[in-house]
Amino acid sequence: MTKPVPPRPGQGAVRARLAEILRVDQAGELAAVHIYRGQAAVMRASPGRERIANQLQEMEGHEQVHLSRFNELLTERNVRPTLMSPVWRAAAFALGAGTALLGDKAAHACTEAVENVIEQHYAGQIEELKGRDPALAAELTQFRDDELAHRDLAIEEGAHEATAYPLLTAVIQAGCRAAIKISEKI
């Protein structure tokens, strides 16, 4: 589990940390929507993959709910989104489409890899916020539970059977962790 990040000392430190949390979470949900869109686009174009395309579309819908809520929170709390949003949108769609082109199992391995990182990320934030902003911590807990359901479905669908599974998931997880660090600051 990721250790909670303590607020920086000084005036406005708690607000600055909350801005980082909201900015990175909004960016992550934006990316998740576009990963699923990329995967679903490939699956819809492939005969016999309608069931998986429908699953992906449903998961995209969950992520869209999360994204909409983070968009509201950014507005309510006067926090700007990451400047990297256009890059993350394109990279996420490419990751989704690319893994789907590698096959069903690779698409599921992508979902599992991303959701594992996000679950750990949310767990750290929940721990950090539960005393300071319990309402936001509760929302993040619900979002984390949705992400865990996506991960579990991906595993059930054969994520671990993907070709080069260890390498594929390691690369995706490293990319997610880098995007988190970048999105908090930029």
Side-chain angles (χ1 to χ4, degrees):
M1 173 172 15
T2 311
K3 292 177 78 173
V5 178
R8 293 178 296 225
Q11 190 173 21
V14 171
R15 185 190 178 325
R17 177 62 185 139
L18 182 60
E20 288 177 352
I21 289 170
L22 295 176
R23 183 173 20 265
V24 73
D25 290 354
Q26 189 270 351
E29 298 298 346
L30 176 74
V33 165
H34 285 83
I35 289 170
Y36 286 126
R37 283 184 185 169
Q39 290 176 334
V42 169
M43 295 300 175
R44 274 193 303 274
S46 304
R49 292 185 165 161
E50 295 80 16
R51 181 184 68 81
I52 294 169
N54 290 337
Q55 282 178 340
L56 295 167
Q57 189 171 6
E58 182 179 338
M59 289 189 289
E60 178 194 331
H62 301 157
E63 304 295 359
Q64 186 62 55
V65 169
H66 302 172
L67 176 59
S68 294
R69 180 60 183 139
F70 280 116
N71 287 339
E72 290 171 8
L73 287 166
L74 289 180
T75 300
E76 288 171 11
R77 300 190 187 199
N78 199 27
V79 174
R80 68 162 176 80
T82 179
L83 299 174
M84 298 298 292
S85 292
V87 174
W88 297 157
R89 190 178 296 115
F93 188 89
L95 175 62
T99 56
L101 287 168
L102 293 173
D104 301 359
K105 307 297 186 208
H108 291 305
C110 175
T111 296
E112 182 200 7
V114 170
E115 300 298 17
N116 276 331
V117 171
I118 299 311
E119 187 279 326
Q120 293 168 4
H121 177 71
Y122 273 150
Q125 289 180 341
I126 292 162
E127 186 64 29
E128 181 180 347
L129 292 170
K130 68 183 178 187
R132 198 168 58 217
D133 192 336
L136 181 56
E139 283 188 274
L140 295 182
T141 299
Q142 179 56 56
F143 295 168
R144 182 192 64 198
D145 291 348
D146 291 345
E147 309 302 354
L148 288 171
H150 297 167
R151 181 200 64 194
D152 293 348
L153 178 61
I155 292 169
E156 288 172 22
E157 290 287 333
H160 295 172
E161 299 166 28
T163 302
Y165 170 80
L167 177 62
L168 182 63
T169 58
V171 169
I172 292 168
Q173 289 179 339
C176 289
R177 288 185 186 103
I180 286 169
K181 291 297 181 193
I182 292 167
S183 294
E184 282 180 339
K185 304 299 180 191
I186 297 177

